[in-house]
Amino acid sequence: LNCRKSNQKRSTYFSIIQKTHKIHITEKQIKVLEELLKKDVYIISAPSLNISTEDKIMESSYFYMPYLSENIIGSKQLKTFKFRSIFDEEDDVDFFRMEFAIKRNENELKNKFDQYVFQNMNSSISFAPSSPIEKIQVLTYKYIYESTNPTIESVKVDYDDALLFFQENGKRFMLACVHSCTSYSQFIRNDTTINEKIKDLYIRKEIKNDR
């Protein structure tokens, strides 16, 4: 996370901690994720893609996930889930923050994410056939900034880093923060890559429809 100069360094998870930072998504955002349950998805769109063929990871400034939702009178309407991550800091501690929303049209999305120039969706990732989302895990990244200055306390940082989606057909995909200063996000579909990614993460919350 060395995005800027600091008198702290990332360390292993052993030091005596004097202070803890928890950066978790809100209950309102949990409700947003609950709305995605039982929705069919098969395509992700992005303004552009950086693709690692070795790791099978796709990166972009943000991702769109369109899906159909049924309203109270039974009519189908197109909605869009939009995901991005941003580099942030608090009390001289670096971390990444997931931001996402569901909006019914692009104008509302533009207003929600007005810090970015709104771009056309030039790239798409298809993982047809479609399959409903069965479960979503909120995955957290934990680390320690261990101070090199004896007058400054070490700090534990605990932030939500990724969303892991489970589909009814047994497939998974992940939307995650990129650990760099680019404020890019990742889309991962490959099981081997997902398994490698989650080795450093902790399941903080599991969202599923128990009915």
Side-chain angles (χ1 to χ4, degrees), residues 13-69:
Y13 212 50
F14 301 109
S15 303
I16 297 174
I17 305 304
Q18 302 297 322
K19 192 172 184 179
T20 301
H21 284 270
K22 290 187 178 181
I23 302 94
H24 294 163
I25 62 175
T26 65
E27 284 303 312
K28 185 176 180 180
Q29 289 174 300
I30 295 294
K31 294 295 183 184
V32 169
L33 297 177
E34 288 175 351
E35 186 174 335
L36 296 176
L37 296 175
K38 301 300 181 182
K39 303 301 189 298
D40 272 319
V41 295
Y42 68 94
I43 193 168
I44 296 282
S45 298
S48 61
L49 287 173
N50 297 326
I51 302 173
S52 168
T53 54
E54 181 179 356
D55 298 327
K56 298 180 176 62
I57 295 174
M58 303 180 191
E59 295 183 356
S60 184
S61 54
Y62 55 82
F63 289 97
Y64 267 3
M65 185 170 71
Y67 65 93
L68 287 175
S69 181

Side-chain angles (χ1 to χ4, degrees), residues 36-211:
L36 296 176
L37 296 175
K38 301 300 181 182
K39 303 301 189 298
D40 272 319
V41 295
Y42 68 94
I43 193 168
I44 296 282
S45 298
S48 61
L49 287 173
N50 297 326
I51 302 173
S52 168
T53 54
E54 181 179 356
D55 298 327
K56 298 180 176 62
I57 295 174
M58 303 180 191
E59 295 183 356
S60 184
S61 54
Y62 55 82
F63 289 97
Y64 267 3
M65 185 170 71
Y67 65 93
L68 287 175
S69 181
E70 192 173 284
N71 62 21
I72 58 174
I73 62 173
S75 299
K76 296 284 188 180
Q77 56 185 198
L78 182 65
K79 290 188 176 183
T80 304
F81 175 79
K82 182 177 179 182
F83 178 96
R84 70 163 180 164
S85 62
I86 60 171
F87 170 74
D88 208 342
E89 64 89 20
E90 184 178 302
D91 295 338
D92 291 330
V93 174
D94 300 343
F95 57 90
F96 297 90
R97 187 188 303 277
M98 295 191 298
E99 292 192 348
F100 52 83
I102 292 173
K103 295 296 178 182
R104 290 175 55 184
N105 58 62
E106 291 186 351
N107 287 333
E108 289 178 345
L109 280 170
K110 188 190 299 184
N111 294 335
K112 173 67 177 176
F113 297 88
D114 56 6
Q115 295 182 37
Y116 281 74
V117 175
F118 197 73
Q119 298 169 282
N120 292 324
M121 299 296 103
N122 298 316
S123 304
S124 61
I125 309 157
S126 174
F127 43 100
S130 65
S131 179
I133 294 172
E134 185 176 51
K135 180 173 65 176
I136 304 168
Q137 289 179 346
V138 179
L139 303 177
T140 299
Y141 188 61
K142 300 180 181 181
Y143 64 94
I144 288 173
Y145 271 118
E146 189 175 76
S147 177
T148 58
N149 186 334
T151 64
I152 299 177
E153 62 190 10
S154 295
V155 179
K156 172 184 172 182
V157 182
D158 176 336
Y159 69 86
D160 291 339
D161 185 67
L163 300 175
L164 182 57
F165 297 82
F166 295 76
Q167 295 176 273
E168 289 184 3
N169 62 2
K171 301 293 186 180
R172 301 181 296 172
F173 64 91
M174 175 182 280
L175 292 169
C177 300
V178 175
H179 293 184
S180 75
C181 306
T182 60
S183 287
Y184 264 43
S185 303
Q186 292 179 334
F187 172 82
I188 307 172
R189 181 70 169 172
N190 179 267
D191 266 334
T192 302
T193 305
I194 289 175
N195 289 337
E196 189 64 31
K197 178 89 172 177
I198 62 179
K199 284 181 182 178
D200 296 324
L201 302 177
Y202 303 80
I203 301 172
R204 187 179 69 79
K205 192 171 185 65
E206 191 167 82
I207 303 163
K208 57 185 178 180
N209 190 340
D210 294 321
R211 291 177 296 178

